[in-house]
Amino acid sequence: MSAVELSPVDRAHLAEALRIARETQAEGNKSFGAVLVAPDGRVLATGRNAAAQTGDPTSHAELDAVRAVGPRDRDAVAGATMFASGEPCPMCAAALVWSGVGRIVFGTAAADIRAVAPGPPGFRLPCAEVVAASEAEIEVVGPALGEEGLAPFREVGNPGPR
């Protein structure tokens, strides 16, 4: 569960994803937040897990961010970086491959989340393995936050992986 070195810009975007995760947790959802950043540094969109509010089990933070990108910014997703509070699940990792992102940075590994906040059955397939099985060249960085990233999942009433 050790953290990896991040640039100050990466750390700031990941901190924003974590802030969103705490916000969505306060709304009754699981603690997942995401920030999608274009190669030029513009924040294209943010996303939050809203599965509890919407009843849609696919309402994950990463998908929410990708869906929020408007048509005029769609090309900017190519090569963008997805910053996620928690490790993207296989569904989200596949969607990120298809959306054309060039990099995924996540705060906390799914296995570490499951260890502190068991939830319903999920997958043990890491994001990096999903990406590696694709034809895309995407850098996967994480877990990047260590104990700091696990904090929202340790809080009472917050179930584990989506």
Side-chain angles (χ1 to χ4, degrees):
M1 176 182 28
S2 61
V4 299
E5 282 296 314
L6 295 175
S7 73
V9 171
D10 284 352
R11 183 158 263 299
H13 290 306
L14 204 49
E16 177 62 7
L18 197 57
R19 185 196 66 74
I20 294 167
R22 287 185 181 283
E23 205 174 74
T24 194
Q25 174 191 11
E27 296 166 349
N29 296 290
K30 295 175 186 172
S31 299
F32 293 95
V35 179
L36 183 61
V37 179
D40 66 8
R42 276 183 308 129
V43 173
L44 296 170
T46 61
R48 61 188 59 237
N49 182 312
Q53 287 174 307
T54 64
D56 178 358
T58 67
S59 187
H60 291 194
E62 301 89 343
L63 293 180
D64 189 41
V66 169
R67 289 175 181 144
V69 174
R72 68 180 175 76
D73 283 331
R74 186 61 52 199
D75 290 342
V77 175
T81 299
M82 176 60 76
F83 293 91
S85 61
E87 182 174 7
C89 72
M91 174 184 69
C92 290
L96 294 174
V97 167
W98 290 322
S99 70
V101 302
R103 189 166 173 248
I104 300 167
V105 180
F106 64 90
T108 306
D112 292 336
I113 295 168
R114 278 191 299 277
V116 300
F123 291 87
R124 288 190 181 96
L125 183 61
C127 174
E129 288 185 28
V130 174
V131 170
S134 78
E135 298 169 345
E137 294 292 327
I138 299 173
E139 178 186 13
V140 179
V141 179
L145 293 179
E147 192 60 37
E148 175 188 0
L150 267 179
F153 297 100
R154 288 187 185 283
E155 296 171 9
V156 177
N158 187 31
R162 316 165 222 243

